Amino acid sequence: MSIRYGSLAVLATAALTLSAIAVFGQEAERKGIPAPPGHVFKTIISGYQFRTKETRALQDDDLENPGFLAVERAADMWKTVDGSEGKSCMSCHGEAETTMKGVGAAMPKWSEKLNKPVNLEQQINICRSEHMKAQPWAFKSKELTDMTTFVRFQSRGMPVAVKTDGPMSPWFEKGKEIYYTRVGQLDLACASCHEKNNGKFMRADFLSQGQTNGFPTYRLRDQRLIPLHERFEGCMFDVRGVPYKPLSDEFLALELYVAWRGIGLPVETPSVRN
C-alpha cells in the first residue's frame, strides 16, 4: 500500500510540475531583437523574457526593484572625496547622468595604455588608484558592485555596443573558444545550456540565452547584486569545474564575447533574476 501511495504522490507531483511549466510557457511570450548577419541566434532575447511575470514586474518598478538601493548608495559615493588627491568621481567626470551615459553599454573597451581590454570594474579601480590616489575596491565588495551598477545604470535602455574588431579581435576569439569549451566533471560548456538548450526547464527555472545586458543583476536566490564575473565563476562551479579568477584575462575575454552575443539588447541594469 505504501508503495502504491508513494507512486501516486510522485505522479501527482510530476503532473503539477508539468502543469506549472505549461502555464508559465503560455505567460512567457519571449520577445527579442533581430540578430545581425552572422550571429549565432536569429533572435537575441534578454534573460528578462525568461522570468516570471512577478519577477519582471519587480524589475520594472524602480521603487520596488531591490537593486536600486545600490544605485542610491553609489550616487552618494560618486560625490564623496576619497584618496590623497582630495577628489571624488564627480571632480573629474561631473554629473554621471550626462558623462556616464553610454559608457556601460560599450564595455569592455580597449585600453591603449594597458594594451588590453578593461571592463567597468577595472576602469573604476583605475580611476581610483591613478587619479584619486585611493585604494582600489576588492571584487565583490559592496562598494565596487554598487558603483559598477550605478555607472551601468546611466546606460539603461541604450543598446549593448561592444567593439570586437581591431586589437579586440584576438580577445573576442579567445572568449569564443572558452564559451564552447567543455569543462568540469559534468563536461559542459556555456553553449551547452545557453545556446543548445535555452528555453528549456531545468532546476526549477528556464534556461536563458545567458545574456549580460542586465549585470550587475539582483538575484533573488542570493538576495544581493551579483557582478558578471561572479556569475561566470558560479556557472563553472555548477558544472564541477575549476573557474578562472574574477577579472582574469580569461573572464575578460569571455565577457567581451558574451556581450557581443547580446549586441543591440537594451541595458537593463539593475535587472532582477531568480
Side-chain angles (χ1 to χ4, degrees):
M1 294 293 290
S2 60
I3 295 175
R4 182 187 302 173
Y5 290 139
S7 299
L8 288 173
V10 170
L11 289 172
T13 301
L16 286 171
T17 301
L18 290 172
S19 175
I21 292 171
V23 169
F24 181 74
Q26 292 169 2
E27 287 181 352
E29 295 182 6
R30 299 181 183 119
K31 300 176 182 178
I33 61 173
H39 199 278
V40 293
F41 295 122
K42 291 183 179 179
T43 304
I44 303 173
I45 305 172
S46 170
Y48 172 90
Q49 297 291 335
F50 293 80
R51 306 284 67 85
T52 64
K53 63 180 181 180
E54 292 81 10
T55 301
R56 297 197 301 268
L58 185 61
Q59 176 177 316
D60 293 341
D61 189 334
D62 290 358
L63 293 177
E64 295 291 334
N65 184 334
F68 270 86
L69 293 173
V71 174
E72 293 174 4
R73 288 192 298 264
D76 290 334
M77 286 194 295
W78 183 264
K79 305 171 186 176
T80 301
V81 171
D82 195 7
S84 62
E85 289 294 305
K87 293 180 178 179
S88 66
C89 300
M90 181 176 277
S91 301
C92 294
H93 297 291
E95 295 290 343
E97 292 80 359
T98 301
T99 62
M100 293 295 106
K101 193 174 183 64
V103 171
M107 301 296 276
K109 291 184 71 173
W110 184 256
S111 167
E112 292 289 350
K113 182 176 181 179
L114 297 178
N115 196 36
K116 60 179 289 187
V118 296
N119 73 355
L120 200 48
E121 285 100 336
Q122 290 170 323
Q123 185 58 57
I124 289 168
N125 272 335
I126 288 170
C127 284
R128 286 184 59 78
S129 59
E130 293 188 3
H131 302 294
M132 298 169 68
K133 303 301 181 186
Q135 285 294 319
W137 287 319
F139 182 76
K140 284 178 62 174
S141 66
K142 180 178 286 188
E143 293 84 0
L144 184 56
T145 302
D146 284 359
M147 188 58 75
T148 303
T149 303
F150 176 73
V151 175
R152 181 100 156 145
F153 167 69
Q154 308 310 319
S155 299
R156 188 170 66 157
M158 297 183 69
V160 173
V162 292
K163 301 293 185 182
T164 61
D165 56 355
M168 296 288 265
S169 181
W171 291 80
F172 175 83
E173 293 300 330
K174 178 63 176 177
K176 181 178 181 179
E177 178 187 350
I178 293 170
Y179 192 88
Y180 287 100
T181 299
R182 291 176 175 271
V183 297
Q185 291 178 332
L186 299 187
D187 193 35
L188 294 172
C190 306
S192 303
C193 291
H194 297 297
E195 184 171 322
K196 295 181 180 180
N197 290 294
N198 69 78
K200 294 182 180 179
F201 195 74
M202 187 183 78
R203 295 171 64 187
D205 203 356
F206 284 87
L207 288 169
S208 72
Q209 289 184 347
Q211 304 293 0
T212 62
N213 59 307
F215 280 86
T217 185
Y218 190 92
R219 294 198 79 196
L220 298 173
R221 187 191 74 173
D222 298 286
Q223 293 292 289
R224 63 183 177 88
L225 281 161
I226 303 295
L228 178 60
H229 287 203
E230 182 181 351
R231 183 78 290 262
F232 286 165
E233 190 178 34
C235 281
M236 294 190 78
F237 271 126
D238 288 343
V239 300
R240 311 296 187 266
V242 179
Y244 302 111
K245 292 183 179 180
L247 305 182
S248 64
D249 286 353
E250 290 84 1
F251 272 170
L252 189 61
L254 183 60
E255 177 179 353
L256 175 65
Y257 177 69
V258 180
W260 171 82
R261 291 173 69 95
I263 196 129
L265 282 178
V267 173
E268 296 176 12
T269 307
S271 67
V272 179
R273 302 288 188 260
N274 297 354

